[in-house]
Amino acid sequence: MPLLYTIGKLTVGPTMRLAFRPTVEGLEHVPETGGAIFAGNHLSVADELFLGSVVPRHLAFWAKSEYFKGVGVKGAFSKFVLTGLGAIPVERTGGRAALTAFDAAIPALKSGELVVVYPEGTRSPDGRLYRGRTGAVRLAVGAGVPIIPVGTIGTEKVQPVGVRIPRPGTGKVTIRFGKPLDFTGRPNDSASLRAMTDEVMSEIQKLTGQEYVSRYAPMLRVQPDQPRPDPA
């Protein structure tokens, strides 16, 4: 486990659990060893904090590559923190550049790491669950690891868009882990990837009870000084 992540587990993790007392269900579905992908809904930037605070193992999150390329003191600090946490940079321009995240994630998964992916590609703009992108399933098939559906409820209330830190006393947070989905041996053509992704999103919807929207989520419009949407 990266040193900075370990420090966070000893400081931020207990603080989040004490301040918000999140309800956790299905933690027995989280493997004690071996690689796996967490695929969850995405309501708030606080999702990562809560997920990291309740899962005992290290979680590698995907993060926008811009966070690794900033200039000045702020840019250097951002790169230091994300690198120290073991985050995986994601290019959002598409094409070959976007595949670098897969190049980094597959060896990590095969070596026994846990990787977190938000298939919607951005935070939900209205609390509904939107159509998933196929990246999580592509990773699962490529690395030969299971996908664990994750349903998070209530984080959009404790840290809405534009709010920089979670606010205690503003809502109840629940995190639910579903049974692992094993796609080993399944074909990786586009139709099969789409079908498997829809299966993952269906399992997430069962955990959250959100209304499902069969189209991709629109990118959130935020002010320049507000947090930017997170990558899938």
Side-chain angles (χ1 to χ4, degrees):
M1 187 179 295
L3 177 59
L4 197 57
Y5 196 97
T6 301
I7 294 173
K9 292 292 291 183
L10 296 175
T11 55
V12 178
T15 300
M16 295 293 292
R17 294 194 298 272
L18 180 63
F20 296 95
R21 299 189 180 278
T23 298
V24 183
E25 301 174 7
L27 195 60
E28 67 274 12
H29 298 310
V30 177
E32 294 183 2
T33 61
I37 297 168
F38 286 120
N41 62 320
H42 202 10
L43 298 172
S44 166
V45 294
D47 294 341
E48 292 95 334
L49 290 174
F50 282 102
L51 192 57
S53 70
V54 301
V55 175
R57 296 177 57 190
H58 172 248
L59 300 177
F61 292 91
W62 281 4
K64 289 191 299 184
S65 61
E66 295 95 301
Y67 293 148
F68 293 83
K69 301 175 181 178
V71 297
V73 175
K74 183 178 180 180
F77 179 74
S78 176
K79 180 178 180 180
F80 168 77
V81 170
L82 290 174
T83 302
L85 292 174
I88 299 173
V90 179
E91 292 283 354
R92 305 199 66 180
T93 55
R96 177 61 222 175
L99 295 179
T100 57
F102 288 83
D103 295 339
I106 287 179
L109 288 165
K110 287 184 175 180
S111 68
E113 289 283 342
L114 300 176
V115 173
V116 181
V117 179
Y118 294 108
E120 291 172 279
T122 185
R123 284 170 285 167
S124 172
D126 52 19
R128 297 185 293 176
L129 182 67
Y130 283 79
R131 189 183 199 214
R133 301 180 185 276
T134 59
V137 169
R138 289 177 185 273
L139 273 180
V141 173
V145 299
I147 290 180
I148 300 172
V150 181
T152 303
I153 302 170
T155 52
E156 79 282 9
K157 295 182 176 64
V158 302
Q159 190 177 3
V161 174
V163 175
R164 294 190 176 279
I165 59 174
R167 303 173 300 182
T170 55
K172 177 64 178 176
V173 173
T174 300
I175 304 172
R176 294 174 177 150
F177 299 93
K179 294 181 180 179
L181 302 174
D182 187 0
F183 297 117
T184 303
R186 297 275 288 270
N188 62 354
D189 60 278
S190 59
S192 297
L193 292 171
R194 179 74 264 158
M196 288 184 280
T197 299
D198 291 342
E199 184 178 340
V200 171
M201 300 310 292
S202 176
E203 292 302 313
I204 294 173
Q205 195 275 335
K206 292 176 184 177
L207 296 171
T208 65
Q210 292 170 279
E211 177 185 349
Y212 181 72
V213 182
S214 58
R215 64 177 185 274
Y216 295 123
M219 296 297 293
L220 288 171
R221 295 182 179 275
V222 295
Q223 298 301 318
D225 61 339
Q226 292 179 335
R228 305 300 303 176
D230 300 311

